[in-house]
Amino acid sequence: MRDLIIIGSGPAGLTAAITAAEHGLDILVIDEYLKPGGRLLGQLYEEPGGNWWNGIEESRKLAGRASSLGLDIRLGISVHNIEQIDGSWLVHADCETFETKSLLLATGAAEAPVAIPGWTLPGVMSVGAAQVMTNVHRVKPGQRGVIIGVNVLSSAIAMELKIADVEVAAIALPKTNQVNGKAANPSEVMNALLHVSHMAPSPLVKMGSKLMTNDFMKRMGITLYPKNGVRMWDIPVMLRKAVIRIEGTDQVEGVTLATVTAEGKIIPGTEEVIGCDFVCIAGGLYPLAELAALTGCPFYHIDELGGFVPLHSEDMRTPLDGLYVAGNITGIEGAKVAMSQGKTAALAIAKDHGQDIADTSLSEAVRQISSTRSDAHIQFHSEVEAGRRKLQEYWEQHAAGMRNVMV
Amino acid sequence: MTDRDMIVCRCEEVTYGELVDTAGQFACNSRELKLRTRAGMGYCGGRTCRSLVDAIALAATERDVTQITLKYQPPVRPVHFGDLGAIPND
Ligand SMILES: Cc1cc2nc3c(=O)[nH]c(=O)nc-3n(C[C@H](O)[C@H](O)[C@H](O)COP(=O)(O)OP(=O)(O)OC[C@H]3O[C@@H](n4cnc5c(N)ncnc54)[C@H](O)[C@@H]3O)c2cc1C
């Protein structure tokens, strides 16, 4: 039996593994992908101040430290079930079952889709898939693409495609229907973008900062927003045009765009077809908490964190004995926050294993999560700190409830 | 192609029209919508359509913030029958 199994070798899982190994724990890391690094592998963007965040380089550094510590990392294996039996955890992977005293879930995030007629054609992919093809496998997803969904992730990936010399004909909204929700509403999208301004296309931010003062101005802003979009790195970002259909017989041949009102209603007679050979769908991210959901761990839906998250404390413990979480499974944030959560989880685990971890080092690690968060250059939701506070309240309520049961 | 003919659940080939009609007729929550249409019950376990099925059901029902709307069941990845009976080796 291991001391600790970590599921996920992204920035959270790898940082946790390194920290726990430094404290002498016997660890196994499992990941279903063929390389360590998780979603870090695809990341490439310029931070304010001119530094480049190169995810492949960062992954290599983490994997290098892990291998110098002799860590056992098994790749290409999926975990399909976990269960707690007699005080230890069974981790069921493809053909093997592993046993461990402590289990850290660091499974990251998944992409949500938006649905547009024609989205099942070959050549339509999630924006993350285009990122992995381009930045990890160095394969062009196509010659000329259209991205559906205007958000932080899609604008970051549009720029990565551009760097790889893949043409992005437009980033546009999805059409309004019952499943696309706020992602199809120009005013909502503009609001959301302006609040996470570091990553939003800068001309938009310049224009937007004047508009943030009141609701009337915001409505005016989206009404006056140029129909053909604002150019970001020469890619038109269209907040007043929606893709209403993806065209093609056997594969993607183009998209039909239409102008929409500030609320997202199609203006008849404005349809136009533009040609492309691939389409990226960008509906946002949500915490990939499926394994935690099998354990009976309580869950809460917190919009600011991206969806349902497993209940956990600031030091990454869940209410279940020996079960911990770190990284995007706890809420959608950037890779640096995931790393600081991984470190904190590892310290909490080492402490629970009787290692000599001072309370001050654990609370210092918790503080570092917050400071990393406030310094983060990439933010997926403007109110992420409020989301974290909600979760902390749920945790305290839960802990108080448990104390009442004990009395 | 219209929204109504658009496939939402690829594994079980359930259309948007079918989901919206069912949700409208029975004012059902996500779980019931899934059981009535089989959306999200195929090979991928709802990995792709989960949030869409949820959104359609939420038009008629309130979200319970303490309950994951479409329950996860093991195995959460496709597994061969032969591999499910594996014996611990570690
Ligand atoms: C498409 C996409 C693009 C992103 N782009 C950016 C960006 O540009 N900048 C940024 O800061 N953040 C980005 N993010 C957010 C990203 O999630 C975080 O930056 C960070 O990578 C989260 O780290 P993590 O360790 O929590 O998870 P991840 O890095 O996602 O790693 C999780 C790992 O767990 C593995 N895993 C999951 N389930 C299982 C299972 N059942 N069995 C075995 N292995 C499993 C996965 O294979 C994966 O390698 C992006 C996320 C996605 C999904």
Side-chain angles (χ1 to χ4, degrees), chain A residues 9-180:
Chain A
S9 71
L14 282 181
T15 309
I18 291 164
T19 312
E22 287 167 352
H23 287 91
L25 299 195
D26 173 30
I27 306 156
L28 171 65
V29 182
I30 301 174
D31 197 303
E32 60 192 345
Y33 196 56
L34 46 123
K35 293 179 183 177
R39 286 301 175 169
L40 192 50
L41 287 167
Q43 299 176 14
L44 181 67
Y45 52 86
E46 192 177 1
E47 298 178 332
N51 269 342
W52 279 81
W53 176 251
N54 179 342
I56 293 194
E57 226 12 81
E58 298 297 326
S59 304
R60 204 174 280 147
K61 277 191 225 157
L62 286 174
R65 280 184 65 199
S67 79
S68 69
L69 288 163
L71 272 165
D72 186 359
I73 302 182
R74 308 226 186 145
L75 300 169
I77 307 177
S78 297
V79 174
H80 58 77
N81 193 12
I82 54 176
E83 48 185 346
Q84 189 177 32
I85 288 175
D86 300 333
S88 66
W89 287 92
L90 295 185
V91 174
H92 302 284
D94 290 340
C95 328
E96 283 173 273
T97 296
F98 303 95
E99 200 177 347
T100 179
K101 189 158 179 300
S102 298
L103 178 59
L104 171 62
L105 302 177
T107 49
E111 294 185 79
V114 290
I116 306 286
W119 76 309
T120 47
L121 278 169
V124 182
M125 64 193 81
S126 75
V127 76
Q131 184 187 45
V132 170
M133 281 172 89
T134 310
N135 297 353
V136 184
H137 300 288
R138 311 280 173 185
V139 174
K140 287 186 177 185
Q143 297 305 318
R144 184 172 202 257
V146 169
I147 300 180
I148 308 178
V150 188
N151 51 46
V152 170
L153 188 62
S154 69
S155 50
I157 296 176
M159 193 208 50
E160 295 166 11
L161 289 168
K162 174 100 190 165
I163 294 171
D165 207 18
V166 176
E167 187 185 348
V168 180
I171 310 180
L173 299 177
K175 63 164 296 189
T176 298
N177 58 27
Q178 267 194 46
V179 294
N180 294 344

Side-chain angles (χ1 to χ4, degrees), chain A residues 144-146 167 169-170 252-256 272-278:
Chain A
R144 184 172 202 257
V146 169
E167 187 185 348
V252 171
E253 291 165 24
V255 301
T256 300
E272 62 185 302
V273 179
I274 61 172
C276 62
D277 64 351
F278 75 103

Side-chain angles (χ1 to χ4, degrees), chain B residues 30-52:
Chain B
S30 316
R31 179 179 147 74
E32 190 180 339
L33 187 55
K34 165 175 118 171
L35 294 174
R36 286 188 180 276
T37 60
R38 291 198 58 79
M41 292 177 77
Y43 183 82
C44 86
R47 181 92 176 222
T48 309
C49 68
R50 148 181 301 271
S51 62
L52 306 176

